[in-house]
Amino acid sequence: MSDPSSPGTKSFLPRLGHWAAQVLLVFLGAYAAFWLNNYQEHQQEARRVSGHSGLPPITVLPMTAPERFSEYPTVLQMCANFFDDLEKAYSELLMQIRAERQRH
């Protein structure tokens, strides 16, 4: 039988702890890399979308519920204005097409 206080056991436990710490560090590093990549992709998408729609950049950073919901009325109004403008442009285009068809 081996004695728990033998030199082999003492050197095994520190090695196991060291190995576990390295594995944990690798997993944390991989998680951080994926999180950063995801964050950067969301920021790029937000900049791309806001550049085309006239909306302000979307904040992707974590916020508390009151902070998150405080911007909803403003963004909702901007979206409503955007779709109203889109509907007006569509209606004007449709009227132009009808007028052009009646002339020919």
Short mmCIF file of all heavy atoms in Angstrom, two decimals, residues 15-28:
data_model
loop_
_atom_site.label_atom_id
_atom_site.label_comp_id
_atom_site.label_asym_id
_atom_site.label_seq_id
_atom_site.Cartn_x
_atom_site.Cartn_y
_atom_site.Cartn_z
N ARG A 15 1.15 18.82 -9.27
CA ARG A 15 1.09 18.71 -10.73
C ARG A 15 -0.35 18.71 -11.21
O ARG A 15 -0.67 19.34 -12.22
CB ARG A 15 1.81 17.43 -11.20
CG ARG A 15 3.32 17.57 -11.20
CD ARG A 15 3.97 16.37 -11.81
NE ARG A 15 3.74 15.23 -10.91
CZ ARG A 15 3.90 13.97 -11.24
NH1 ARG A 15 4.30 13.66 -12.45
NH2 ARG A 15 3.68 13.01 -10.38
N LEU A 16 -1.23 18.02 -10.50
CA LEU A 16 -2.64 17.99 -10.85
C LEU A 16 -3.25 19.39 -10.73
O LEU A 16 -3.99 19.84 -11.62
CB LEU A 16 -3.40 17.01 -9.96
CG LEU A 16 -4.91 16.90 -10.24
CD1 LEU A 16 -5.15 16.35 -11.64
CD2 LEU A 16 -5.57 16.02 -9.19
N GLY A 17 -2.92 20.09 -9.67
CA GLY A 17 -3.40 21.46 -9.49
C GLY A 17 -2.89 22.38 -10.58
O GLY A 17 -3.63 23.22 -11.11
N HIS A 18 -1.63 22.24 -10.94
CA HIS A 18 -1.03 23.05 -12.00
C HIS A 18 -1.71 22.76 -13.33
O HIS A 18 -2.03 23.67 -14.10
CB HIS A 18 0.47 22.78 -12.07
CG HIS A 18 1.20 23.63 -13.05
ND1 HIS A 18 1.43 24.96 -12.83
CD2 HIS A 18 1.73 23.32 -14.26
CE1 HIS A 18 2.08 25.45 -13.87
NE2 HIS A 18 2.28 24.47 -14.75
N TRP A 19 -1.93 21.48 -13.62
CA TRP A 19 -2.59 21.08 -14.86
C TRP A 19 -4.02 21.63 -14.91
O TRP A 19 -4.46 22.16 -15.93
CB TRP A 19 -2.61 19.55 -14.96
CG TRP A 19 -3.29 19.05 -16.18
CD1 TRP A 19 -2.79 18.95 -17.43
CD2 TRP A 19 -4.65 18.59 -16.25
NE1 TRP A 19 -3.74 18.45 -18.29
CE2 TRP A 19 -4.89 18.22 -17.58
CE3 TRP A 19 -5.67 18.45 -15.32
CZ2 TRP A 19 -6.12 17.72 -18.01
CZ3 TRP A 19 -6.90 17.96 -15.75
CH2 TRP A 19 -7.11 17.60 -17.08
N ALA A 20 -4.76 21.52 -13.79
CA ALA A 20 -6.13 22.02 -13.74
C ALA A 20 -6.15 23.53 -13.96
O ALA A 20 -7.03 24.06 -14.65
CB ALA A 20 -6.77 21.66 -12.41
N ALA A 21 -5.18 24.26 -13.38
CA ALA A 21 -5.12 25.70 -13.57
C ALA A 21 -4.83 26.05 -15.03
O ALA A 21 -5.42 26.99 -15.57
CB ALA A 21 -4.04 26.30 -12.66
N GLN A 22 -3.98 25.28 -15.69
CA GLN A 22 -3.68 25.54 -17.10
C GLN A 22 -4.91 25.28 -17.98
O GLN A 22 -5.21 26.05 -18.89
CB GLN A 22 -2.52 24.67 -17.56
CG GLN A 22 -1.18 25.13 -17.04
CD GLN A 22 -0.05 24.23 -17.53
OE1 GLN A 22 -0.26 23.09 -17.91
NE2 GLN A 22 1.16 24.78 -17.50
N VAL A 23 -5.63 24.19 -17.69
CA VAL A 23 -6.85 23.88 -18.46
C VAL A 23 -7.88 24.99 -18.27
O VAL A 23 -8.50 25.46 -19.22
CB VAL A 23 -7.42 22.51 -18.06
CG1 VAL A 23 -8.81 22.30 -18.63
CG2 VAL A 23 -6.48 21.39 -18.50
N LEU A 24 -8.06 25.43 -17.04
CA LEU A 24 -9.00 26.52 -16.76
C LEU A 24 -8.59 27.78 -17.50
O LEU A 24 -9.43 28.48 -18.08
CB LEU A 24 -9.07 26.77 -15.25
CG LEU A 24 -10.01 27.89 -14.80
CD1 LEU A 24 -11.45 27.53 -15.13
CD2 LEU A 24 -9.84 28.12 -13.31
N LEU A 25 -7.31 28.09 -17.49
CA LEU A 25 -6.82 29.27 -18.18
C LEU A 25 -7.07 29.19 -19.69
O LEU A 25 -7.47 30.17 -20.32
CB LEU A 25 -5.32 29.45 -17.91
CG LEU A 25 -4.68 30.72 -18.45
CD1 LEU A 25 -5.33 31.95 -17.82
CD2 LEU A 25 -3.19 30.71 -18.17
N VAL A 26 -6.88 28.02 -20.27
CA VAL A 26 -7.15 27.84 -21.70
C VAL A 26 -8.63 28.06 -21.99
O VAL A 26 -8.99 28.75 -22.95
CB VAL A 26 -6.69 26.44 -22.18
CG1 VAL A 26 -7.23 26.13 -23.56
CG2 VAL A 26 -5.17 26.36 -22.17
N PHE A 27 -9.51 27.47 -21.19
CA PHE A 27 -10.94 27.65 -21.41
C PHE A 27 -11.36 29.10 -21.23
O PHE A 27 -12.16 29.62 -22.01
CB PHE A 27 -11.75 26.74 -20.49
CG PHE A 27 -11.84 25.33 -20.99
CD1 PHE A 27 -11.25 24.31 -20.27
CD2 PHE A 27 -12.50 25.02 -22.16
CE1 PHE A 27 -11.31 23.00 -20.72
CE2 PHE A 27 -12.56 23.73 -22.62
CZ PHE A 27 -11.98 22.71 -21.90
N LEU A 28 -10.83 29.78 -20.22
CA LEU A 28 -11.16 31.18 -20.03
C LEU A 28 -10.66 32.04 -21.19
O LEU A 28 -11.35 32.96 -21.65
CB LEU A 28 -10.58 31.69 -18.71
CG LEU A 28 -11.26 31.19 -17.44
CD1 LEU A 28 -10.52 31.69 -16.20
CD2 LEU A 28 -12.72 31.63 -17.40
#
